[in-house]
Amino acid sequence: MSEPSKTNLSEKLFAPRQTSKETSSLVKLAHVVDAPIHSALDGDTEIGWYRVMRRPQWIWQGIDPIELEAILARIAKSDAPRTRDDLLDTVIGYKPGNWVYEWCQSGGMYHKAARALLDQGEKEKAAEQLITASMYYSIAAYPHLKGDDLAAQAELQANQAYRDAMDNMPHQMRTIDVKYENKTFQAFIHLPCTDKLLPTVIVSGGLDTLQSDLLRLYQKYLGPAGFAMITLDMPSVGHSSHWSLTEDTSRLHQALLQQVKDVPWVDHTRVAMLGLRFGGNAAIRLGFLEPTRLKTCVSVGGIIHSGLADPKRLDAMPRMYLDMIASRLGKHGVSKTSLVSHLPAWSLKNQGLVGRRKIDVPMLGIGLKSDPVCSEFDNQLIAMSSRGGKAITLPDKPLHDGYHRAMTTVVDWLKEKLAE
């Protein structure tokens, strides 16, 4: 796409609007007290911020730590009106200091650099800049609440940059259109080569990420190991936003898995499912539903049971997480008590899956020590529910190395289980 049309897209998307609601004002849960949380996978709540700061994940994805702090500093020093004076990232309107604005400004710089590189014929370097732009746009849209107009526009920018990047990458990417309940969602497949059938890993992240956020997982781990990677968004997010989140967290994954046999390049006899956070819930659930189609299932920091059914953990859930879940369920203006009363139904233990019987699909539950969402007990439940299953708890320090340690362990597991 030419530069003028890109510029026009940005101007059209972010034209001044008086009606755009600020992110923290959308859900309006009653009786919520701000609670702190620390996680080596997710990051931390910080005094004075609405959003949970996902520094470990963002840096792992490739965001420059110095630039990250500079963006947060610009947001913090703004004297523009806020929804809540005590929360820095609640500046109202698309203007300097607003979360979406500041992250999109940085994304736009990488986007512009990519276009200059394309003009010079530097396709691969341009693709890297486009991927970085996509990540910044995606963080601008975080935590992807329904009805957040500015975030939705940033998400469009993220998707466009991602697709443009894929057109210029050395590896192949294709889209897979999956029909479910008379609608269609889009999954992406990344291929290290196209001249043979490949062992394939289906991957989903959490409820506050887009599938485009998972590219580093392919570039650093799955691709070099010779795996194809298929990504899809969780129900209620991104390309899967037409479906609300229900207890059947894996229904879209099941529809995709059943269609994989028709996808060229995929060895449908060697397919694994990998899920991070809420994606871990879907991955393990899918193992019980489709034991003949999957070679293995892996949960990384998965929200399996404790984070959904333990009153102490639920009580400590930060406001942003509660808002995000309420948004996914389509519940606005309800009380915190009413909202969390629904969550035990998502527990795979309460659904009668993990901890009841063993299935033949070997499953891996992996987490970091002292994780507030995924307990060691959860991973033990996964291990004891499958023949050949395993639970691994890794140290939670050094903080920014958590994802790397987890994914290195996961790739070793996948190599063993997907071997011919």
Side-chain angles (χ1 to χ4, degrees):
M1 192 180 287
S2 63
E3 182 168 347
S5 60
K6 283 285 180 64
T7 305
N8 291 342
L9 172 64
S10 181
E11 289 174 355
K12 181 178 178 182
L13 287 176
F14 294 107
R17 289 178 176 84
Q18 297 302 318
T19 57
S20 295
K21 292 184 178 178
E22 189 275 316
T23 305
S24 70
S25 69
L26 289 168
V27 177
K28 295 184 172 67
L29 285 178
H31 311 122
V32 176
V33 177
D34 294 324
I37 193 171
H38 165 75
S39 165
L41 279 179
D42 294 330
D44 301 285
T45 50
E46 297 179 16
I47 294 173
W49 296 85
Y50 168 71
R51 290 166 179 82
V52 176
M53 293 297 168
R54 305 200 68 171
R55 283 180 174 86
Q57 179 184 325
W58 295 335
I59 293 168
W60 174 75
Q61 284 173 226
I63 298 295
D64 179 78
I66 296 173
E67 197 166 9
L68 189 160
E69 297 304 330
I71 292 170
L72 298 183
R74 290 199 295 272
I75 294 169
K77 73 179 185 181
S78 171
D79 56 4
R82 291 177 165 88
T83 299
R84 278 180 53 175
D85 290 338
D86 61 328
L87 296 177
L88 297 168
D89 54 331
T90 64
V91 168
I92 301 165
Y94 191 72
K95 63 181 72 167
N98 172 267
W99 178 276
V100 182
Y101 176 91
E102 294 294 352
W103 283 97
C104 281
Q105 291 300 299
S106 291
M109 288 170 51
Y110 286 100
H111 218 151
K112 184 177 180 180
R115 293 196 291 274
L117 287 166
L118 283 174
D119 289 342
Q120 298 165 20
E122 298 275 2
K123 283 192 167 188
E124 288 191 33
K125 289 181 180 178
E128 280 300 318
Q129 297 291 306
L130 285 164
I131 287 300
T132 304
S134 176
M135 288 189 293
Y136 279 84
Y137 291 139
S138 177
I139 297 171
Y142 167 78
H144 309 283
L145 300 185
K146 288 185 182 297
D148 191 337
D149 295 336
L150 294 178
Q153 291 151 25
E155 202 171 296
L156 283 174
Q157 297 264 71
N159 284 329
Q160 186 61 59
Y162 191 76
R163 288 172 182 280
D164 290 347
M166 293 306 101
D167 289 340
N168 296 285
M169 293 290 270
H171 77 271
Q172 300 292 313
M173 187 197 89
R174 303 282 191 275
T175 55
I176 303 171
D177 291 323
V178 183
K179 288 186 174 151
Y180 182 74
E181 292 181 341
N182 298 318
K183 295 177 186 142
T184 302
F185 67 88
Q186 204 162 69
F188 298 147
I189 179 168
H190 294 271
L191 302 154
C193 61
T194 56
D195 58 353
K196 62 180 179 180
L197 296 180
L198 296 166
T200 300
V201 186
I202 297 172
V203 187
S204 261
L207 294 176
D208 53 2
T209 58
L210 302 176
Q211 57 179 312
S212 56
D213 297 332
L214 299 167
L215 180 64
R216 296 295 181 194
L217 180 56
Y218 172 81
Q219 291 178 320
K220 292 185 177 181
Y221 305 100
L222 298 181
F227 299 126
M229 179 181 83
I230 302 178
T231 58
L232 73 160
D233 292 308
M234 287 293 292
S236 77
V237 187
H239 288 287
S240 302
S241 60
H242 292 302
W243 294 271
S244 62
L245 185 69
T246 70
E247 300 93 317
D248 187 357
T249 55
S250 58
R251 65 196 194 280
L252 300 184
H253 305 76
Q254 188 172 16
L256 171 62
L257 181 62
Q258 291 170 355
Q259 193 171 311
V260 157
K261 68 181 187 302
D262 301 320
V263 177
W265 318 292
V266 171
D267 181 350
H268 68 269
T269 67
R270 291 189 291 158
V271 178
M273 171 77 206
L274 164 64
L276 295 80
R277 287 308 198 208
F278 229 101
N281 184 293
I284 300 304
R285 196 174 191 283
L286 192 63
F288 284 91
L289 298 178
E290 295 283 3
T292 62
R293 296 180 195 265
L294 287 170
K295 282 287 190 183
T296 186
C297 300
V298 179
S299 165
V300 178
I303 303 177
I304 305 299
H305 170 68
S306 302
L308 297 162
D310 181 342
K312 286 185 179 178
R313 290 175 188 265
L314 291 173
D315 194 50
M317 196 176 288
R319 176 187 295 267
M320 189 207 82
Y321 281 175
L322 290 167
D323 284 357
M324 181 182 70
I325 290 169
S327 177
R328 304 293 178 254
L329 302 182
K331 295 186 180 297
H332 294 252
V334 300
S335 68
K336 176 181 176 180
T337 303
S338 172
L339 176 66
V340 299
S341 69
H342 293 274
L343 298 186
W346 273 259
S347 157
L348 299 186
K349 184 174 186 291
N350 291 353
Q351 290 180 19
L353 299 175
V354 297
R356 297 290 180 90
R357 59 191 174 90
K358 284 184 183 288
I359 61 171
D360 290 332
V361 180
M363 298 193 291
L364 172 65
I366 186 169
L368 301 185
K369 193 170 181 61
S370 304
D371 191 326
V373 177
C374 173
S375 69
E376 292 186 40
F377 174 69
D378 284 14
N379 288 327
Q380 292 291 345
L381 281 174
I382 291 170
M384 71 174 65
S385 300
S386 69
R387 292 181 178 86
K390 191 172 183 180
I392 298 175
T393 300
L394 297 171
D396 61 347
K397 293 176 182 177
L399 184 64
H400 297 318
D401 201 33
Y403 273 97
H404 175 68
R405 291 194 305 278
M407 295 319 306
T408 301
T409 305
V410 166
V411 168
D412 289 342
W413 173 273
L414 291 172
K415 284 179 178 177
E416 177 188 335
K417 302 305 176 187
L418 293 179
E420 290 187 79

